[in-house]
Amino acid sequence: METANIAKLAVAAAPYAIDKPYDYLIPEGMEVSVGVRVSVPFGRGNRRSEGVVLAVGEGEKLPGLKQILSVLDRESVLDRQDIDLALWMRQRYFCTLYDALKTILPAGLWYQFREVCRLAPGIDRTAACADAQEAPACAEVMRLLFAKGGSVELSELKSACGEECVNALKTLAGKGLIFCESRAQRKIGDKTRRMVELALSAEEAMEIAESRRRAAPVRYEAIRLLCTVGRICASELCYFTGASSQTLRALEKAGVVRFFQEETLRVPEIKQSGEAAPIVLNEEQEAAYCGLLSLMESGRAEAALLHGVTGSGKTQVYIRLVQEALRRGKNAIVLVPEIILTPQMMDKFSSCFGVEVAMLHSGLRLSERYDQWKRIRRQEVRVVLGTRSAIFAPLRNLGLIVMDEEQESSYQSENPPRYHTRDVAKFRCAQDGALLLLGSATPSVESAHWAREGVYHPFFLRRRYNEKSLPRVMLADLKDEVRSGNSGVISSLLRREIEQNLQRREQSILFLNRRGNSRMLLCGECGFVPECPRCSTALTYHSANGRLMCHYCGHSEKANEACPMCGGIMKRVGVGTQKVEEELRTLFPGIQLLRMDADTASGEHEALLSRFEREKIPILLGTQMVAKGLDFENVTLVGVLAADLSLYVDNYHAAERTFSLLTQVVGRAGRGEKSGRAVIQTYTPGNEVIVSAAEQDYDRFFESEIRMRRIRRYPPFADLFTCTISGTDETAVLRAAVRLREELRLEAQKEPFCRSDPEVLGPAPAPVVKVDNRYRYRILWVGKNDKDTRALLSYTLKKFASDRQNRGISIFVDCNALE
DNA sequence: AGCACGCCGACT
DNA sequence: GTCGGCGTGCTC
């Protein structure tokens, strides 16, 4: 047997159905190590694909083996632990190994090689080729450029034509036939920068990007990058994806992205460690801390739940534990739902840990984030404080992972692989024997359940740190209001309370429990509502450009004043914050009012909030974003306008989310010297969730909710696997869905599943059944997320994808999806 | 998924 | 006789 050096690779071009480690020959003299990215030929056509080296070793030299073309990294970007994590993610989230690895690495890394060559505009193909004919390398480059639609990445060009193409590029650029875009250098010292962010949800944006992936690859990359990083400086987005400013403008026009100006964030001044005052814990905190410390010292990868009411000082406990971890030579990761909302946390950590802490927050530029990643990888930092993706920070020798407000749904990724940070954290803790500390004022029902079952170690902080009493909560019954002739959004009770606050010159926050605000057009005569031609949804009216737009596929059309059906006059409808604002202005004429919602540019938020505090503006009206982290001395009244809105959402944790949200909002009142009040408006004042939130009684909420979950077979008693099947032919999709259901039902009756008696439900249409002309139906498997079930679903997915009957139909699986 | 190979019908 | 339709099968 002849042997050779062989590398096992995760290959980008291999879809889920055929994903496995592929063997490639390492050419003589090539340095290849585990964790580097390489370029390889793949498939019949030997198209170039990227791969990640999983293992290197001697192996049998089989005839079919192909060679690695080139190595893309100077040193490895992933180590053994990363690869183990990716292997685990693959079987847990039904993604390819390559997709998992890509999720682990920072976005900046995947784009750092981007250097794009483009054809100069208005170049005629035949003339240009004739012009380039003299040098074969030039002709080859031109041919490739035309074949790829006018622009090619430099790395791709190099692997196709060899290193010598660099000279050809120079010649061609000299002739003005092409140009190469290099680093778009940002001038140092810019005061503000032009930022881009998604104007739609990540899911909606990805749908749009996917639908035109082939036709507009640059757009696709730009949107995908935006989905991973949230917001980014415009020049950086262009640099990393090869998009032009025209591309961005087109995306803006299509309503996919929006621009805003942002002050350049200075690197937060790092105070020297040692200066910070030592942390003093009260009795309760001390008790929790001691218990947690001994768990951490055990090195058994334990998990604990710290249930502490708002203002009980969980952060102090976190910091003491991190300090002790460091003293023992261990490192720590601290996760928060959205760090930009917790500047106090950032301040505390930088004063306690100085240069040893790396912060990964949404205000960082992509390149800054990448730099932080490099610092962490070089083990220059010992503490990482960040949001969801910080769980992948390449920090080794972990002693502790903290997840603050662990119930937040932002801990679940919104794009595939849709990992949950808590699960990844558990895996990493198991790798290093670290303690996982889940902290919350309103824990998820699952976590509270496991704490009661003894799977997590429970700890409690029941006293508010400053001994402040919780706000007094009043319920306003909106049904009564309607009966007594008040058709408005503000109940008489809330109105009285606001008036009282106005007299006392104290401030009020009003909260509309609704995401964004969908405004649509409706014909006053015949009731016609303009709908998207490609999706099963009403079009949204955008006052900025006077157009109707679809949030799912990006379709946009001019808004007519007259109804196209009957000629009647079109009216704007939808209870958004604007509508409430109008009502407030009539109720309280001449009173100053601030509005903050999805329409408010994100750069403005902080400015608005500081104005609210500084100028003591009497009323702040807002959506989700006013619920969290705001701490204002003079706010003594909080009003929840429609507590029920988030309750009747078709999702198993709607009740939990509502309870948590109400608790957070109520906690906004009376943070200063004066005591606070809260008014919760509801149509169902008898509802357990509303009542327990009004009483600030978590245990009561938990008891009723866990009973419900048990009866309905919801988590933690079962896991919900959602198989989404989509395609352009609705009947074909439905047929495929029914076939899948029958197949899964058959399996459910067999060993080993029959013992746990899984249920297979559906097909049911997805919340929005048609998106961009693709119909989406779901099959639900209610069972246990164990090895056998995952293996079955993985097998079923692969079989489905390779079944000829299912051509043109795609499928994916999610487990316990929160949103 | 994406690409080549192969086996049939409409042309120069 | 050949160009191109898409059904079939494989990817180290």
Side-chain angles (χ1 to χ4, degrees):
Chain A
M1 174 182 99
E2 202 188 341
T3 64
N5 283 324
I6 288 180
K8 288 201 180 296
L9 308 183
V11 180
Y16 185 70
I18 60 161
D19 182 42
K20 59 170 185 177
Y22 286 88
D23 287 350
Y24 279 85
L25 281 174
I26 302 172
E28 204 62 39
M30 186 185 274
E31 283 287 325
V32 173
S33 55
V34 171
V36 295
R37 291 171 298 166
V38 293
S39 174
V40 290
F42 188 76
R44 291 233 209 189
N46 280 336
R47 68 210 147 94
R48 298 272 168 292
S49 173
E50 212 165 61
V52 176
V53 179
L54 305 170
V56 210
E58 284 272 298
E60 193 185 346
K61 191 176 179 178
L62 295 161
L65 289 184
K66 292 176 187 175
Q67 278 197 349
I68 294 176
L69 295 171
S70 62
V71 180
L72 299 172
D73 293 302
R74 214 173 301 157
E75 53 189 274
S76 51
V77 292
L78 294 152
D79 63 15
R80 193 63 244 168
Q81 284 196 321
D82 291 320
I83 293 171
D84 288 343
L85 175 58
L87 285 164
W88 173 84
M89 283 173 75
R90 175 181 63 166
Q91 51 100 39
R92 178 119 192 166
Y93 299 110
F94 308 99
C95 65
T96 69
L97 191 53
Y98 183 86
D99 289 337
L101 291 166
K102 198 164 179 163
T103 306
I104 291 173
L105 289 168
L109 189 71
W110 294 94
Y111 293 96
Q112 68 169 333
F113 296 100
R114 299 278 156 135
E115 244 176 307
V116 188
C117 303
R118 274 169 207 294
L119 284 173
I123 292 290
D124 176 65
R125 177 162 192 171
T126 39
C129 285
D131 208 16
Q133 210 57 57
E134 56 218 63
C138 292
E140 176 68 9
V141 168
M142 290 305 278
R143 197 191 53 73
L144 201 71
L145 270 166
F146 277 112
K148 294 281 177 179
S151 77
V152 176
E153 238 179 85
L154 187 63
S155 57
E156 197 183 341
L157 211 57
K158 275 186 185 171
S159 52
C161 317
E163 287 291 328
E164 62 276 13
C165 72
V166 179
N167 290 324
L169 290 175
K170 278 188 193 143
T171 317
L172 290 168
K175 286 184 180 172
L177 292 172
I178 63 160
F179 57 94
C180 297
E181 282 180 337
S182 52
R183 183 179 290 265
Q185 277 288 345
R186 198 182 62 82
K187 272 181 253 133
I188 296 161
D190 279 0
K191 278 274 163 53
T192 62
R193 49 193 180 139
R194 194 157 167 254
M195 299 286 292
V196 192
E197 68 179 1
L198 288 177
L200 316 171
S201 78
E203 194 187 18
E204 290 162 1
M206 274 320 283
E207 295 270 9
I208 297 172
E210 289 288 355
S211 69
R212 317 223 195 307
R213 186 168 182 173
R214 296 288 212 76
V218 175
R219 270 184 180 218
Y220 173 80
E221 289 300 333
I223 295 174
R224 207 174 49 151
L225 184 55
L226 271 170
C227 287
T228 31
V229 299
R231 43 177 23 206
I232 187 171
C233 162
S235 62
E236 252 192 331
L237 183 61
C238 293
Y239 166 56
F240 281 110
T241 62
S244 64
S245 51
Q246 289 98 304
T247 312
L248 296 190
R249 243 174 286 140
L251 284 171
E252 187 198 22
K253 225 176 138 197
V256 181
V257 305
R258 61 169 155 251
F259 292 108
F260 61 97
Q261 293 290 325
E262 192 184 78
E263 292 261 334
T264 309
L265 280 174
R266 303 279 164 208
V267 176
E269 207 170 294
I270 306 253
K271 293 161 200 140
Q272 276 307 302
S273 57
E275 267 180 37
I279 306 248
V280 185
L281 301 181
N282 66 23
E283 253 174 76
E284 244 186 358
Q285 289 171 318
E286 186 69 30
Y289 160 73
C290 289
L292 289 163
L293 184 62
S294 70
L295 286 176
M296 184 166 81
E297 285 181 314
S298 78
R300 286 195 308 262
E302 301 277 3
L305 176 66
L306 179 60
H307 185 168
V309 297
T310 318
S312 60
K314 292 190 288 291
T315 311
Q316 275 101 318
V317 178
Y318 301 157
I319 291 180
R320 282 296 293 123
L321 280 169
V322 173
Q323 285 174 333
E324 288 310 307
L326 298 196
R327 262 176 36 123
R328 285 159 176 75
K330 301 273 190 168
N331 300 322
I333 297 177
V334 178
L335 302 163
V336 291
E338 180 47 85
I339 200 164
I340 218 74
L341 294 170
T342 54
Q344 309 96 316
M345 185 92 112
M346 293 213 291
D347 284 349
K348 275 185 198 148
F349 271 77
S350 58
S351 66
C352 286
F353 302 106
V355 291
E356 289 199 310
V357 60
M359 315 240 189
L360 298 170
H361 57 84
S362 55
L364 289 185
R365 275 184 238 124
L366 191 58
S367 42
E368 287 171 330
R369 210 179 286 211
Y370 178 43
D371 287 345
Q372 291 284 38
W373 180 83
K374 284 191 283 193
R375 274 181 73 211
I376 301 165
R377 216 183 133 68
R378 288 196 295 260
Q379 308 299 310
E380 287 171 13
V381 301
R382 304 196 50 202
V383 183
V384 170
L385 175 61
T387 45
R388 184 174 69 219
S389 61
I391 192 56
F392 298 116
L395 201 59
R396 295 300 161 219
N397 191 22
L398 292 173
L400 173 70
I401 295 179
V402 177
M403 270 179 80
D404 192 36
E405 298 304 328
E406 60 90 30
Q407 82 287 358
E408 286 290 329
S409 58
S410 63
Y411 279 124
Q412 188 173 60
S413 168
E414 62 253 89
N415 34 42
R418 299 201 198 193
Y419 65 89
H420 197 294
T421 308
R422 197 193 292 121
D423 300 329
V424 179
K426 275 183 205 164
F427 185 85
R428 293 204 61 178
C429 283
Q431 277 184 326
D432 285 11
L435 168 68
L436 172 62
L437 174 54
L438 306 172
S440 180
T442 54
S444 64
V445 171
E446 289 95 317
S447 295
H449 174 75
W450 296 127
R452 278 160 209 234
E453 294 286 307
V455 178
Y456 298 164
H457 298 264
F459 295 91
F460 296 93
L461 299 176
R462 293 187 173 88
R463 290 210 316 265
R464 286 184 119 180
Y465 197 70
N466 51 12
E467 304 288 340
K468 274 255 139 47
S469 61
L470 287 161
R472 185 162 58 88
V473 184
M474 296 160 269
L475 283 179
D477 187 344
L478 290 174
K479 286 200 306 292
D480 287 349
E481 294 293 321
V482 176
R483 270 185 224 121
S484 58
N486 176 8
S487 59
V489 229
I490 309 288
S491 64
S492 45
L493 173 64
L494 180 56
R495 183 180 174 170
R496 272 201 306 280
E497 295 295 328
I498 296 174
E499 275 164 357
Q500 215 176 84
N501 255 29
L502 291 174
Q503 274 167 19
R504 293 196 214 151
R505 303 196 166 277
E506 292 171 3
Q507 290 168 282
S508 313
I509 294 179
L510 301 182
F511 172 66
L512 185 62
N513 190 9
R514 158 177 284 217
R515 327 188 114 220
N517 44 340
S518 58
R519 283 148 294 139
M520 48 186 207
L521 290 188
L522 171 99
C523 172
E525 310 281 321
C526 70
F528 170 78
V529 174
E531 286 176 8
C532 177
R534 292 195 301 219
C535 310
S536 51
T537 177
L539 292 168
T540 308
Y541 180 74
H542 284 242
S543 49
N545 53 9
R547 289 179 78 82
L548 287 166
M549 302 208 345
C550 174
H551 276 192
Y552 290 89
C553 74
H555 170 86
S556 145
E557 60 185 56
K558 205 175 154 285
N560 292 316
E561 276 173 43
C563 173
M565 291 304 174
C566 70
I569 298 165
M570 301 296 286
K571 295 192 303 184
R572 285 197 228 167
V573 290
V575 186
T577 45
Q578 278 118 329
K579 189 129 183 245
V580 180
E581 186 181 354
E582 280 165 36
E583 190 175 328
L584 286 167
R585 291 207 188 280
T586 354
L587 281 175
F588 310 107
I591 297 298
Q592 253 196 309
L593 170 67
L594 281 183
R595 180 166 61 85
M596 203 165 100
D597 57 30
D599 273 6
T600 319
S602 52
E604 272 176 69
H605 288 163
E606 277 156 77
L608 275 181
L609 292 178
S610 75
R611 251 191 81 199
F612 177 67
E613 183 167 31
R614 213 178 42 244
E615 299 173 21
K616 302 250 183 296
I617 292 171
I619 300 173
L620 172 67
L621 167 66
T623 48
Q624 305 281 325
M625 54 202 73
V626 303
K628 286 168 194 162
L630 304 185
D631 237 335
F632 298 121
E633 279 278 308
N634 196 39
V635 173
T636 53
L637 173 65
V638 162
V640 180
L641 297 179
D644 320 68
L645 274 181
S646 62
L647 208 47
Y648 302 105
V649 180
D650 177 26
N651 188 301
Y652 74 89
H653 84 313
E656 173 186 315
R657 224 178 68 90
T658 304
F659 181 85
S660 171
L661 213 50
L662 290 179
T663 307
Q664 283 172 39
V665 183
V666 166
R668 295 305 117 216
R671 306 287 284 193
E673 288 303 304
K674 302 159 206 158
S675 61
R677 290 121 56 224
V679 175
I680 297 177
Q681 302 195 143
T682 173
Y683 285 97
T684 51
N687 181 289
E688 265 302 303
V689 179
I690 308 268
V691 173
S692 46
E695 289 176 3
Q696 302 281 285
D697 187 344
Y698 181 85
D699 290 336
R700 177 170 174 180
F701 160 73
F702 176 81
E703 291 306 335
S704 78
E705 181 63 13
I706 201 79
R707 215 175 302 130
M708 203 75 91
R709 299 254 184 126
R710 195 190 300 271
I711 293 166
R712 299 207 180 141
R713 273 193 98 179
Y714 282 160
F717 301 104
D719 294 297
L720 311 173
F721 288 91
T722 320
C723 309
T724 307
I725 296 127
S726 70
T728 46
D729 181 350
E730 189 171 17
T731 48
V733 170
L734 267 167
R735 267 202 309 272
V738 170
R739 276 200 303 275
L740 179 74
R741 181 193 64 201
E742 292 311 314
E743 198 171 317
L744 288 176
R745 279 195 176 153
L746 221 60
E747 289 294 336
Q749 286 159 18
K750 291 192 213 152
E751 283 287 332
F753 305 108
C754 56
R755 270 170 285 150
S756 60
D757 188 28
E759 257 180 292
V760 184
L761 306 167
V768 177
V769 67
K770 186 171 74 159
V771 169
D772 200 37
N773 284 328
R774 288 180 75 84
Y775 293 86
R776 310 181 300 175
Y777 283 84
R778 291 173 172 177
I779 300 290
L780 201 64
W781 170 287
V782 185
K784 213 69 230 139
N785 189 349
D786 55 21
K787 254 199 157 65
D788 289 326
T789 306
R790 287 193 299 263
L792 168 72
L793 288 171
S794 170
Y795 167 79
T796 312
L797 274 181
K798 288 177 181 172
K799 207 171 120 200
F800 186 99
S802 45
D803 187 344
R804 305 243 164 267
Q805 285 188 96
N806 297 329
R807 229 179 307 168
I809 295 172
S810 40
I811 183 169
F812 68 88
V813 177
D814 267 326
C815 184
N816 296 339
L818 294 178
E819 297 298 333

